[in-house]
mmCIF file with all atom_site columns, all heavy atoms in Angstrom:
data_model
loop_
_atom_site.group_PDB
_atom_site.id
_atom_site.type_symbol
_atom_site.label_atom_id
_atom_site.label_alt_id
_atom_site.label_comp_id
_atom_site.label_asym_id
_atom_site.label_entity_id
_atom_site.label_seq_id
_atom_site.pdbx_PDB_ins_code
_atom_site.Cartn_x
_atom_site.Cartn_y
_atom_site.Cartn_z
_atom_site.occupancy
_atom_site.B_iso_or_equiv
_atom_site.pdbx_formal_charge
_atom_site.auth_seq_id
_atom_site.auth_comp_id
_atom_site.auth_asym_id
_atom_site.auth_atom_id
_atom_site.pdbx_PDB_model_num
ATOM 1   N N   . ILE A 1 3  ? 1.669   5.180  0.508  1.00 0.00 ? 3  ILE A N   1
ATOM 2   C CA  . ILE A 1 3  ? 1.249   6.172  1.505  1.00 0.00 ? 3  ILE A CA  1
ATOM 3   C C   . ILE A 1 3  ? 1.440   7.557  0.923  1.00 0.00 ? 3  ILE A C   1
ATOM 4   O O   . ILE A 1 3  ? 2.482   7.818  0.349  1.00 0.00 ? 3  ILE A O   1
ATOM 5   C CB  . ILE A 1 3  ? 2.065   5.990  2.804  1.00 0.00 ? 3  ILE A CB  1
ATOM 6   C CG1 . ILE A 1 3  ? 1.782   4.601  3.360  1.00 0.00 ? 3  ILE A CG1 1
ATOM 7   C CG2 . ILE A 1 3  ? 1.731   7.063  3.806  1.00 0.00 ? 3  ILE A CG2 1
ATOM 8   C CD1 . ILE A 1 3  ? 2.565   4.248  4.578  1.00 0.00 ? 3  ILE A CD1 1
ATOM 9   N N   . PRO A 1 4  ? 0.524   8.476  1.046  1.00 0.00 ? 4  PRO A N   1
ATOM 10  C CA  . PRO A 1 4  ? -0.757  8.372  1.744  1.00 0.00 ? 4  PRO A CA  1
ATOM 11  C C   . PRO A 1 4  ? -1.739  7.528  0.957  1.00 0.00 ? 4  PRO A C   1
ATOM 12  O O   . PRO A 1 4  ? -1.660  7.421  -0.265 1.00 0.00 ? 4  PRO A O   1
ATOM 13  C CB  . PRO A 1 4  ? -1.234  9.817  1.842  1.00 0.00 ? 4  PRO A CB  1
ATOM 14  C CG  . PRO A 1 4  ? -0.606  10.506 0.689  1.00 0.00 ? 4  PRO A CG  1
ATOM 15  C CD  . PRO A 1 4  ? 0.704   9.805  0.450  1.00 0.00 ? 4  PRO A CD  1
ATOM 16  N N   . ALA A 1 5  ? -2.687  6.903  1.685  1.00 0.00 ? 5  ALA A N   1
ATOM 17  C CA  . ALA A 1 5  ? -3.673  6.031  1.059  1.00 0.00 ? 5  ALA A CA  1
ATOM 18  C C   . ALA A 1 5  ? -5.022  6.189  1.738  1.00 0.00 ? 5  ALA A C   1
ATOM 19  O O   . ALA A 1 5  ? -5.089  6.319  2.966  1.00 0.00 ? 5  ALA A O   1
ATOM 20  C CB  . ALA A 1 5  ? -3.222  4.583  1.159  1.00 0.00 ? 5  ALA A CB  1
ATOM 21  N N   . GLU A 1 6  ? -6.080  6.178  0.942  1.00 0.00 ? 6  GLU A N   1
ATOM 22  C CA  . GLU A 1 6  ? -7.427  6.151  1.499  1.00 0.00 ? 6  GLU A CA  1
ATOM 23  C C   . GLU A 1 6  ? -7.663  4.734  2.001  1.00 0.00 ? 6  GLU A C   1
ATOM 24  O O   . GLU A 1 6  ? -7.339  3.764  1.317  1.00 0.00 ? 6  GLU A O   1
ATOM 25  C CB  . GLU A 1 6  ? -8.458  6.531  0.446  1.00 0.00 ? 6  GLU A CB  1
ATOM 26  C CG  . GLU A 1 6  ? -8.326  7.977  -0.019 1.00 0.00 ? 6  GLU A CG  1
ATOM 27  C CD  . GLU A 1 6  ? -8.487  8.980  1.107  1.00 0.00 ? 6  GLU A CD  1
ATOM 28  O OE1 . GLU A 1 6  ? -9.475  8.879  1.868  1.00 0.00 ? 6  GLU A OE1 1
ATOM 29  O OE2 . GLU A 1 6  ? -7.623  9.858  1.242  1.00 0.00 ? 6  GLU A OE2 1
ATOM 30  N N   . ALA A 1 7  ? -8.213  4.625  3.214  1.00 0.00 ? 7  ALA A N   1
ATOM 31  C CA  . ALA A 1 7  ? -8.329  3.307  3.827  1.00 0.00 ? 7  ALA A CA  1
ATOM 32  C C   . ALA A 1 7  ? -9.606  3.191  4.645  1.00 0.00 ? 7  ALA A C   1
ATOM 33  O O   . ALA A 1 7  ? -10.225 4.183  5.014  1.00 0.00 ? 7  ALA A O   1
ATOM 34  C CB  . ALA A 1 7  ? -7.119  3.062  4.731  1.00 0.00 ? 7  ALA A CB  1
ATOM 35  N N   . LEU A 1 8  ? -9.964  1.945  4.917  1.00 0.00 ? 8  LEU A N   1
ATOM 36  C CA  . LEU A 1 8  ? -11.026 1.622  5.863  1.00 0.00 ? 8  LEU A CA  1
ATOM 37  C C   . LEU A 1 8  ? -10.331 1.146  7.128  1.00 0.00 ? 8  LEU A C   1
ATOM 38  O O   . LEU A 1 8  ? -9.407  0.326  7.072  1.00 0.00 ? 8  LEU A O   1
ATOM 39  C CB  . LEU A 1 8  ? -11.930 0.533  5.298  1.00 0.00 ? 8  LEU A CB  1
ATOM 40  C CG  . LEU A 1 8  ? -12.577 0.865  3.953  1.00 0.00 ? 8  LEU A CG  1
ATOM 41  C CD1 . LEU A 1 8  ? -13.338 -0.345 3.423  1.00 0.00 ? 8  LEU A CD1 1
ATOM 42  C CD2 . LEU A 1 8  ? -13.484 2.064  4.062  1.00 0.00 ? 8  LEU A CD2 1
ATOM 43  N N   . VAL A 1 9  ? -10.755 1.661  8.276  1.00 0.00 ? 9  VAL A N   1
ATOM 44  C CA  . VAL A 1 9  ? -10.043 1.424  9.530  1.00 0.00 ? 9  VAL A CA  1
ATOM 45  C C   . VAL A 1 9  ? -10.937 0.668  10.504 1.00 0.00 ? 9  VAL A C   1
ATOM 46  O O   . VAL A 1 9  ? -12.090 1.039  10.736 1.00 0.00 ? 9  VAL A O   1
ATOM 47  C CB  . VAL A 1 9  ? -9.609  2.762  10.168 1.00 0.00 ? 9  VAL A CB  1
ATOM 48  C CG1 . VAL A 1 9  ? -8.835  2.525  11.450 1.00 0.00 ? 9  VAL A CG1 1
ATOM 49  C CG2 . VAL A 1 9  ? -8.802  3.588  9.187  1.00 0.00 ? 9  VAL A CG2 1
ATOM 50  N N   . HIS A 1 10 ? -10.393 -0.400 11.061 1.00 0.00 ? 10 HIS A N   1
ATOM 51  C CA  . HIS A 1 10 ? -11.056 -1.172 12.113 1.00 0.00 ? 10 HIS A CA  1
ATOM 52  C C   . HIS A 1 10 ? -10.148 -1.096 13.342 1.00 0.00 ? 10 HIS A C   1
ATOM 53  O O   . HIS A 1 10 ? -8.965  -1.424 13.253 1.00 0.00 ? 10 HIS A O   1
ATOM 54  C CB  . HIS A 1 10 ? -11.234 -2.636 11.701 1.00 0.00 ? 10 HIS A CB  1
ATOM 55  C CG  . HIS A 1 10 ? -12.122 -2.805 10.515 1.00 0.00 ? 10 HIS A CG  1
ATOM 56  N ND1 . HIS A 1 10 ? -13.448 -3.116 10.628 1.00 0.00 ? 10 HIS A ND1 1
ATOM 57  C CD2 . HIS A 1 10 ? -11.872 -2.698 9.189  1.00 0.00 ? 10 HIS A CD2 1
ATOM 58  C CE1 . HIS A 1 10 ? -13.980 -3.201 9.416  1.00 0.00 ? 10 HIS A CE1 1
ATOM 59  N NE2 . HIS A 1 10 ? -13.042 -2.959 8.526  1.00 0.00 ? 10 HIS A NE2 1
ATOM 60  N N   . ASP A 1 11 ? -10.709 -0.662 14.479 1.00 0.00 ? 11 ASP A N   1
ATOM 61  C CA  . ASP A 1 11 ? -9.892  -0.528 15.689 1.00 0.00 ? 11 ASP A CA  1
ATOM 62  C C   . ASP A 1 11 ? -10.726 -0.836 16.926 1.00 0.00 ? 11 ASP A C   1
ATOM 63  O O   . ASP A 1 11 ? -11.828 -0.301 17.088 1.00 0.00 ? 11 ASP A O   1
ATOM 64  C CB  . ASP A 1 11 ? -9.314  0.881  15.792 1.00 0.00 ? 11 ASP A CB  1
ATOM 65  C CG  . ASP A 1 11 ? -8.471  1.066  17.022 1.00 0.00 ? 11 ASP A CG  1
ATOM 66  O OD1 . ASP A 1 11 ? -7.361  0.513  17.069 1.00 0.00 ? 11 ASP A OD1 1
ATOM 67  O OD2 . ASP A 1 11 ? -8.941  1.740  17.971 1.00 0.00 ? 11 ASP A OD2 1
ATOM 68  N N   . GLN A 1 12 ? -10.200 -1.689 17.799 1.00 0.00 ? 12 GLN A N   1
ATOM 69  C CA  . GLN A 1 12 ? -10.889 -2.082 19.028 1.00 0.00 ? 12 GLN A CA  1
ATOM 70  C C   . GLN A 1 12 ? -11.014 -0.921 20.017 1.00 0.00 ? 12 GLN A C   1
ATOM 71  O O   . GLN A 1 12 ? -12.049 -0.755 20.650 1.00 0.00 ? 12 GLN A O   1
ATOM 72  C CB  . GLN A 1 12 ? -10.125 -3.211 19.720 1.00 0.00 ? 12 GLN A CB  1
ATOM 73  C CG  . GLN A 1 12 ? -10.061 -4.487 18.940 1.00 0.00 ? 12 GLN A CG  1
ATOM 74  C CD  . GLN A 1 12 ? -9.179  -5.509 19.630 1.00 0.00 ? 12 GLN A CD  1
ATOM 75  O OE1 . GLN A 1 12 ? -8.653  -5.280 20.720 1.00 0.00 ? 12 GLN A OE1 1
ATOM 76  N NE2 . GLN A 1 12 ? -8.996  -6.649 18.988 1.00 0.00 ? 12 GLN A NE2 1
ATOM 77  N N   . ILE A 1 13 ? -9.973  -0.134 20.156 1.00 0.00 ? 13 ILE A N   1
ATOM 78  C CA  . ILE A 1 13 ? -9.938  0.918  21.170 1.00 0.00 ? 13 ILE A CA  1
ATOM 79  C C   . ILE A 1 13 ? -11.029 1.970  20.938 1.00 0.00 ? 13 ILE A C   1
ATOM 80  O O   . ILE A 1 13 ? -11.764 2.335  21.854 1.00 0.00 ? 13 ILE A O   1
ATOM 81  C CB  . ILE A 1 13 ? -8.554  1.584  21.217 1.00 0.00 ? 13 ILE A CB  1
ATOM 82  C CG1 . ILE A 1 13 ? -7.510  0.570  21.685 1.00 0.00 ? 13 ILE A CG1 1
ATOM 83  C CG2 . ILE A 1 13 ? -8.557  2.804  22.137 1.00 0.00 ? 13 ILE A CG2 1
ATOM 84  C CD1 . ILE A 1 13 ? -6.084  1.034  21.538 1.00 0.00 ? 13 ILE A CD1 1
ATOM 85  N N   . LEU A 1 14 ? -11.148 2.454  19.705 1.00 0.00 ? 14 LEU A N   1
ATOM 86  C CA  . LEU A 1 14 ? -12.141 3.479  19.386 1.00 0.00 ? 14 LEU A CA  1
ATOM 87  C C   . LEU A 1 14 ? -13.467 2.884  18.910 1.00 0.00 ? 14 LEU A C   1
ATOM 88  O O   . LEU A 1 14 ? -14.416 3.618  18.660 1.00 0.00 ? 14 LEU A O   1
ATOM 89  C CB  . LEU A 1 14 ? -11.604 4.438  18.314 1.00 0.00 ? 14 LEU A CB  1
ATOM 90  C CG  . LEU A 1 14 ? -10.425 5.307  18.716 1.00 0.00 ? 14 LEU A CG  1
ATOM 91  C CD1 . LEU A 1 14 ? -10.003 6.188  17.550 1.00 0.00 ? 14 LEU A CD1 1
ATOM 92  C CD2 . LEU A 1 14 ? -10.776 6.182  19.917 1.00 0.00 ? 14 LEU A CD2 1
ATOM 93  N N   . GLY A 1 15 ? -13.523 1.568  18.758 1.00 0.00 ? 15 GLY A N   1
ATOM 94  C CA  . GLY A 1 15 ? -14.741 0.924  18.282 1.00 0.00 ? 15 GLY A CA  1
ATOM 95  C C   . GLY A 1 15 ? -15.039 1.228  16.828 1.00 0.00 ? 15 GLY A C   1
ATOM 96  O O   . GLY A 1 15 ? -16.195 1.329  16.441 1.00 0.00 ? 15 GLY A O   1
ATOM 97  N N   . LEU A 1 16 ? -14.008 1.370  16.020 1.00 0.00 ? 16 LEU A N   1
ATOM 98  C CA  . LEU A 1 16 ? -14.180 1.680  14.599 1.00 0.00 ? 16 LEU A CA  1
ATOM 99  C C   . LEU A 1 16 ? -14.382 0.409  13.805 1.00 0.00 ? 16 LEU A C   1
ATOM 100 O O   . LEU A 1 16 ? -13.660 -0.567 13.983 1.00 0.00 ? 16 LEU A O   1
ATOM 101 C CB  . LEU A 1 16 ? -12.949 2.415  14.063 1.00 0.00 ? 16 LEU A CB  1
ATOM 102 C CG  . LEU A 1 16 ? -12.580 3.727  14.742 1.00 0.00 ? 16 LEU A CG  1
ATOM 103 C CD1 . LEU A 1 16 ? -11.265 4.235  14.196 1.00 0.00 ? 16 LEU A CD1 1
ATOM 104 C CD2 . LEU A 1 16 ? -13.681 4.748  14.558 1.00 0.00 ? 16 LEU A CD2 1
ATOM 105 N N   . LYS A 1 17 ? -15.379 0.431  12.916 1.00 0.00 ? 17 LYS A N   1
ATOM 106 C CA  . LYS A 1 17 ? -15.642 -0.707 12.042 1.00 0.00 ? 17 LYS A CA  1
ATOM 107 C C   . LYS A 1 17 ? -15.837 -0.179 10.634 1.00 0.00 ? 17 LYS A C   1
ATOM 108 O O   . LYS A 1 17 ? -16.918 0.270  10.276 1.00 0.00 ? 17 LYS A O   1
ATOM 109 C CB  . LYS A 1 17 ? -16.882 -1.459 12.499 1.00 0.00 ? 17 LYS A CB  1
ATOM 110 C CG  . LYS A 1 17 ? -16.688 -2.127 13.841 1.00 0.00 ? 17 LYS A CG  1
ATOM 111 C CD  . LYS A 1 17 ? -17.895 -2.912 14.250 1.00 0.00 ? 17 LYS A CD  1
ATOM 112 C CE  . LYS A 1 17 ? -17.621 -3.579 15.592 1.00 0.00 ? 17 LYS A CE  1
ATOM 113 N NZ  . LYS A 1 17 ? -18.785 -4.339 16.046 1.00 0.00 ? 17 LYS A NZ  1
ATOM 114 N N   . GLY A 1 18 ? -14.771 -0.161 9.869  1.00 0.00 ? 18 GLY A N   1
ATOM 115 C CA  . GLY A 1 18 ? -14.838 0.309  8.485  1.00 0.00 ? 18 GLY A CA  1
ATOM 116 C C   . GLY A 1 18 ? -14.910 1.816  8.357  1.00 0.00 ? 18 GLY A C   1
ATOM 117 O O   . GLY A 1 18 ? -15.449 2.325  7.383  1.00 0.00 ? 18 GLY A O   1
ATOM 118 N N   . ALA A 1 19 ? -14.354 2.536  9.330  1.00 0.00 ? 19 ALA A N   1
ATOM 119 C CA  . ALA A 1 19 ? -14.327 4.002  9.262  1.00 0.00 ? 19 ALA A CA  1
ATOM 120 C C   . ALA A 1 19 ? -13.414 4.446  8.120  1.00 0.00 ? 19 ALA A C   1
ATOM 121 O O   . ALA A 1 19 ? -12.343 3.882  7.923  1.00 0.00 ? 19 ALA A O   1
ATOM 122 C CB  . ALA A 1 19 ? -13.835 4.588  10.576 1.00 0.00 ? 19 ALA A CB  1
ATOM 123 N N   . ARG A 1 20 ? -13.848 5.447  7.362  1.00 0.00 ? 20 ARG A N   1
ATOM 124 C CA  . ARG A 1 20 ? -13.031 5.954  6.264  1.00 0.00 ? 20 ARG A CA  1
ATOM 125 C C   . ARG A 1 20 ? -11.977 6.898  6.816  1.00 0.00 ? 20 ARG A C   1
ATOM 126 O O   . ARG A 1 20 ? -12.272 7.754  7.645  1.00 0.00 ? 20 ARG A O   1
ATOM 127 C CB  . ARG A 1 20 ? -13.897 6.681  5.250  1.00 0.00 ? 20 ARG A CB  1
ATOM 128 C CG  . ARG A 1 20 ? -14.818 5.762  4.527  1.00 0.00 ? 20 ARG A CG  1
ATOM 129 C CD  . ARG A 1 20 ? -15.742 6.518  3.604  1.00 0.00 ? 20 ARG A CD  1
ATOM 130 N NE  . ARG A 1 20 ? -16.671 5.598  2.997  1.00 0.00 ? 20 ARG A NE  1
ATOM 131 C CZ  . ARG A 1 20 ? -16.689 5.316  1.710  1.00 0.00 ? 20 ARG A CZ  1
ATOM 132 N NH1 . ARG A 1 20 ? -15.851 5.901  0.888  1.00 0.00 ? 20 ARG A NH1 1
ATOM 133 N NH2 . ARG A 1 20 ? -17.545 4.459  1.241  1.00 0.00 ? 20 ARG A NH2 1
ATOM 134 N N   . GLY A 1 21 ? -10.752 6.714  6.328  1.00 0.00 ? 21 GLY A N   1
ATOM 135 C CA  . GLY A 1 21 ? -9.665  7.563  6.777  1.00 0.00 ? 21 GLY A CA  1
ATOM 136 C C   . GLY A 1 21 ? -8.550  7.611  5.756  1.00 0.00 ? 21 GLY A C   1
ATOM 137 O O   . GLY A 1 21 ? -8.621  6.964  4.709  1.00 0.00 ? 21 GLY A O   1
ATOM 138 N N   . SER A 1 22 ? -7.532  8.393  6.078  1.00 0.00 ? 22 SER A N   1
ATOM 139 C CA  . SER A 1 22 ? -6.343  8.503  5.233  1.00 0.00 ? 22 SER A CA  1
ATOM 140 C C   . SER A 1 22 ? -5.137  8.060  6.041  1.00 0.00 ? 22 SER A C   1
ATOM 141 O O   . SER A 1 22 ? -4.835  8.660  7.079  1.00 0.00 ? 22 SER A O   1
ATOM 142 C CB  . SER A 1 22 ? -6.134  9.947  4.774  1.00 0.00 ? 22 SER A CB  1
ATOM 143 O OG  . SER A 1 22 ? -7.209  10.364 3.984  1.00 0.00 ? 22 SER A OG  1
ATOM 144 N N   . LEU A 1 23 ? -4.480  7.002  5.574  1.00 0.00 ? 23 LEU A N   1
ATOM 145 C CA  . LEU A 1 23 ? -3.253  6.535  6.221  1.00 0.00 ? 23 LEU A CA  1
ATOM 146 C C   . LEU A 1 23 ? -2.124  7.450  5.792  1.00 0.00 ? 23 LEU A C   1
ATOM 147 O O   . LEU A 1 23 ? -1.836  7.603  4.608  1.00 0.00 ? 23 LEU A O   1
ATOM 148 C CB  . LEU A 1 23 ? -2.961  5.095  5.821  1.00 0.00 ? 23 LEU A CB  1
ATOM 149 C CG  . LEU A 1 23 ? -1.676  4.487  6.357  1.00 0.00 ? 23 LEU A CG  1
ATOM 150 C CD1 . LEU A 1 23 ? -1.689  4.431  7.881  1.00 0.00 ? 23 LEU A CD1 1
ATOM 151 C CD2 . LEU A 1 23 ? -1.472  3.104  5.770  1.00 0.00 ? 23 LEU A CD2 1
#
Side-chain angles (χ1 to χ4, degrees):
I3 298 177
E6 294 300 310
L8 303 174
V9 182
H10 297 263
D11 180 72
Q12 296 175 3
I13 295 170
L14 294 179
L16 301 174
K17 293 182 179 179
R20 292 176 184 246
S22 297
L23 177 62

